[in-house]
Amino acid sequence: MQPMPDYALSVCEQLKALTASGALQVDSAQMDVAKSLDRVLAGLKRRRPAAKSSALGWLFAAKKKSADGIKGLYIHGSVGRGKTMLMDMFFAMAPCRKKRRAHFHEFMADVHNRIAAHRLKLKNGETTQADPMPPVAAALYDEAELLCFDEFTVTDIADAMILSRLFSELFARGCVLVATSNVEPDNLYMDGLNRGLFLPFVALLKQHVDVVTLGSPTDYRMEKLSSQPVYLVPINEHNDMAMDASWTQALHGRKAQPLDIPMKGRHIHVPLAVDRMARFSFADLCDKPLGAVDFLAIAERFDTVFVDHIPLLGPEKRNQIKRFIILVDTFYDHAVRLYISAAAMPEELLLQRRGTEGFEFDRTASRLFEMRSAEYLALHHEKRAAE
């Protein structure tokens, strides 16, 4: 996105400046959402800095909304409408000393790690607090009074079952949540197992955020598309040879070998790797019981990934579909350059669009398109140069 003008004091002002300069098109739907983001900014500016809490502060935290309680924001709408751009502007301007922006899956992996660490302390006699949620929430809030989630989505039952208790604790402490999503809150975890146990979180969420729709008629990501030879269709001998040729060219004479990434008492097997480049098949990544934390480890270890033979995804591959959605989200967030051979173009891979899964795959298809754009590849190169 364009750099923020020094004189911009609000998301609305930055949006107006960028449209006036011709860097962006005038979009009334984006301006409406910008006004809502500015409301949150105004509340954060009024809030006094929180006093530093003691190590046992969670024991005495008041279980009620603070007097300066600020309602967050939940922005939903179709892919490519500018949600991430507006979040970029908002997060850069947010005056909080402690703020955190994360992909939801990455955040929840952190939460699960903290819960596991607390339970280990309990087992070792280092704490007598049986319930891990209050101290975990207290630690999270101590690190960030503002949480921003890009592309909020819930697909994992382990996440779904703890969200209500986790955010009850966070909101009670005054945490402000701003999130973007492809789906409205009532459609989160739509087809999930034991969804009835998740619904209290939806009710809680709507109490603590204003829900707004970004209904821009234009998909700006499609306007940016400048195809690169990194997505090959269909799966055939010719394209297998093309993938091999791209892989050989990227190797620059180096020899790739199998590699195992250690992962908490197990490992993630990488069939071929050299330096920060890896090659997998779709089956290696999505037929195996891998999750967000595994894909995050791959994205942090490699900046270029080849994935061969992505098949058409029918209803019998529901687990693989979920893994593929998380995989693409994670690689996109970490500017991983992705080479793919697939049975169809991204928007045609999913054979049946149903409920939340269909909405989420629309985002996946959009990201696969954007990951071929010159802009995305420039981000990839910037990331490599910074490392």
Side-chain angles (χ1 to χ4, degrees):
M1 64 172 283
Q2 298 291 327
M4 183 172 69
D6 291 338
Y7 53 82
L9 300 176
S10 70
V11 180
C12 284
E13 286 181 5
Q14 186 179 356
L15 208 53
K16 288 175 183 175
L18 292 173
T19 53
S21 70
L24 293 178
Q25 299 177 24
V26 176
D27 190 317
S28 60
Q30 289 182 356
M31 185 58 70
D32 288 341
V33 172
K35 292 175 183 176
S36 296
L37 287 167
D38 284 342
R39 173 194 59 74
V40 182
L41 277 180
L44 292 170
K45 288 173 183 177
R46 289 192 302 268
R47 173 181 277 185
R48 294 180 179 180
K52 182 173 177 61
S53 60
S54 68
L56 296 177
W58 61 268
L59 283 171
F60 312 103
K63 299 299 184 179
K64 60 185 180 68
K65 192 175 180 181
S66 60
D68 67 343
I70 302 166
K71 255 197 161 183
L73 197 66
Y74 183 102
I75 306 163
H76 68 94
S78 300
V79 295
R81 267 58 185 182
K83 298 188 297 293
T84 298
M85 176 191 70
L86 292 169
M87 178 75 92
D88 286 340
M89 296 178 186
F90 167 81
F91 189 78
M93 294 179 191
C96 311
R97 185 169 57 88
K98 297 179 180 180
K99 56 185 178 179
R100 178 177 181 180
R101 182 175 178 179
H103 189 282
F104 177 71
H105 296 301
E106 184 178 340
F107 174 78
M108 290 308 298
D110 180 28
V111 170
H112 287 296
N113 286 338
R114 291 172 188 251
I115 291 173
H118 181 88
R119 287 174 175 160
L120 183 60
K121 286 184 178 180
L122 179 65
K123 180 180 178 181
N124 292 338
E126 298 172 29
T127 180
T128 58
Q129 170 64 19
D131 184 359
M133 209 59 72
V136 166
L140 288 167
Y141 181 69
D142 191 52
E143 294 169 11
E145 64 178 290
L146 171 67
L147 281 177
C148 293
F149 292 147
D150 285 313
E151 304 296 354
F152 189 96
T153 184
V154 183
T155 58
D156 186 277
I157 187 171
D159 294 346
M161 293 304 100
I162 68 171
L163 278 172
S164 182
R165 293 194 59 238
L166 174 65
F167 275 89
S168 290
E169 296 284 346
L170 287 171
F171 288 143
R173 287 168 169 77
C175 185
V176 177
L177 175 65
V178 175
T180 67
S181 181
N182 288 350
V183 299
E184 57 188 295
D186 287 333
N187 288 333
L188 287 169
Y189 197 57
M190 178 57 73
D191 304 311
L193 187 64
N194 293 326
R195 186 171 185 264
L197 300 177
F198 171 74
L199 293 179
F201 170 71
V202 176
L204 178 72
L205 179 66
K206 291 195 289 186
Q207 288 176 21
H208 290 274
V209 301
D210 287 329
V211 180
V212 297
T213 304
L214 180 51
S216 172
T218 305
D219 184 343
Y220 296 102
R221 290 185 177 183
M222 296 303 294
E223 292 189 347
K224 294 188 293 184
L225 181 62
S226 174
S227 291
Q228 303 290 325
V230 294
Y231 192 103
L232 299 174
V233 174
I235 298 170
N236 57 26
E237 184 177 355
H238 173 77
N239 284 329
D240 285 346
M241 292 174 63
M243 283 285 280
D244 288 341
S246 294
W247 175 253
T248 300
Q249 183 180 20
L251 287 175
H252 293 300
R254 296 169 296 178
K255 184 178 180 181
Q257 296 180 330
L259 173 74
D260 288 332
I261 302 175
M263 179 59 64
K264 298 179 181 176
R266 56 187 178 86
H267 66 264
I268 305 167
H269 181 65
V270 185
L272 288 173
V274 61
D275 295 336
R276 294 188 58 79
M277 188 169 68
R279 189 169 185 178
F280 300 87
S281 69
F282 176 86
D284 293 326
L285 294 168
C286 299
D287 283 355
K288 295 179 180 177
L290 302 181
V293 66
D294 302 290
F295 299 141
L296 179 61
I298 293 170
E300 290 176 342
R301 174 66 177 79
F302 303 107
D303 57 35
T304 300
V305 176
F306 284 65
V307 181
D308 293 286
H309 296 173
I310 298 174
L312 295 175
L313 301 170
E316 77 285 355
K317 296 185 185 296
R318 192 171 183 194
N319 288 334
Q320 290 93 328
I321 292 168
K322 288 183 177 180
R323 292 186 191 114
F324 186 58
I325 289 170
I326 296 171
L327 172 75
V328 173
D329 279 346
T330 306
F331 282 9
Y332 176 89
D333 287 341
H334 287 77
V336 173
R337 186 170 191 183
L338 192 58
Y339 289 78
I340 282 175
S341 69
M345 295 301 289
E347 73 277 13
E348 298 170 347
L349 283 173
L350 189 65
L351 296 181
Q352 291 184 17
R353 274 173 164 69
R354 302 184 304 180
T356 302
E357 186 178 88
F359 285 115
E360 290 173 352
F361 205 87
D362 286 341
R363 181 182 73 248
T364 299
S366 172
R367 289 188 161 182
L368 286 172
F369 271 111
E370 186 165 354
M371 290 168 89
R372 299 157 58 199
S373 72
E375 251 184 41
Y376 179 85
L377 295 179
L379 283 175
H380 164 80
H381 292 305
E382 286 176 14
K383 180 193 171 197
R384 290 194 66 180
E387 291 176 346

